[in-house]
């Protein structure tokens, strides 16, 4: 059963930090690619960070140097540490899993990707 549950969102002032967590079901956690994407209201989804089973990590230019993706295999949990937050980081954040990667997006064969329900991040100026 595919299951991804995000938490850790909230409201923070610009310059602040948040850490998002995503607990995955065991089989989902074994996916070749785990990642985070976000969608601001009225915008298209943006893949922001991925971590691949071979250790490859990629970030979108908009977050590189400020966000850090990591995972805890013992807890089947994916994290996104977000520092130096900006108002433009305001969005719904989702974790994702797939058996492939395209840039900073996890996407599998036939474009299949699994995602959670998201957690809201609001950054005020």
């Amino acid at each position: 059963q595919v299951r991804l549950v995000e938490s850790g969102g909230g409201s923070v002032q610009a310059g602040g930090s948040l850490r998002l967590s995503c607990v995955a079901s065991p089989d989902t956690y074994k996916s070749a690619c785990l990642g985070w994407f976000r969608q601001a209201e009225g915008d298209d989804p943006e893949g922001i960070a991925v971590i691949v089973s071979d250790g490859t990590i990629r970030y979108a230019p908009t977050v590189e140097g400020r966000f850090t993706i990591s995972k805890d295999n013992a807890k089947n949990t994916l994290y996104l540490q977000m520092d130096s937050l900006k108002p433009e980081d305001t969005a719904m954040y989702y974790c994702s899993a797939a058996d492939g990667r395209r840039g900073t997006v996890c996407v599998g064969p036939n474009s299949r990707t699994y995602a959670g329900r998201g957690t809201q991040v609001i950054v005020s100026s």
Side-chain angles (χ1 to χ4, degrees), residues 45-61:
E46 177 191 16
I48 56 173
V50 295
I51 184 167
V52 184
S53 56
D54 66 359
T56 299
I57 291 176
R58 293 287 184 268
Y59 296 100

Side-chain angles (χ1 to χ4, degrees), residues 96-110:
S96 62
D99 286 332
R101 175 184 69 89
R102 191 180 304 151
T104 55
V105 178
C106 292
V107 58
N110 300 316

Side-chain angles (χ1 to χ4, degrees), residues 7-124:
S7 63
S11 296
V12 64
Q13 288 193 324
S17 298
L18 285 172
R19 188 176 82 154
L20 306 184
S21 300
C22 173
V23 179
S25 57
D27 284 347
T28 306
Y29 190 79
K30 295 175 185 175
S31 299
C33 180
L34 298 172
W36 293 93
F37 68 94
R38 66 185 180 186
Q39 187 169 20
E41 190 171 348
D43 287 350
D44 292 332
E46 177 191 16
I48 56 173
V50 295
I51 184 167
V52 184
S53 56
D54 66 359
T56 299
I57 291 176
R58 293 287 184 268
Y59 296 100
T62 51
V63 307
E64 189 156 20
R66 300 187 298 121
F67 291 9
T68 304
I69 189 171
S70 63
K71 60 181 184 175
D72 185 332
N73 294 335
K75 297 181 179 179
N76 291 343
T77 301
L78 181 71
Y79 300 101
L80 185 68
Q81 177 67 41
M82 306 188 296
D83 299 318
S84 302
L85 283 161
K86 304 175 182 180
E88 51 264 45
D89 294 319
T90 295
M92 186 71 81
Y93 283 71
Y94 302 86
C95 65
S96 62
D99 286 332
R101 175 184 69 89
R102 191 180 304 151
T104 55
V105 178
C106 292
V107 58
N110 300 316
S111 298
R112 175 168 289 181
T113 302
Y114 300 102
R117 293 190 175 186
T119 185
Q120 180 72 52
V121 171
I122 299 172
V123 184
S124 57

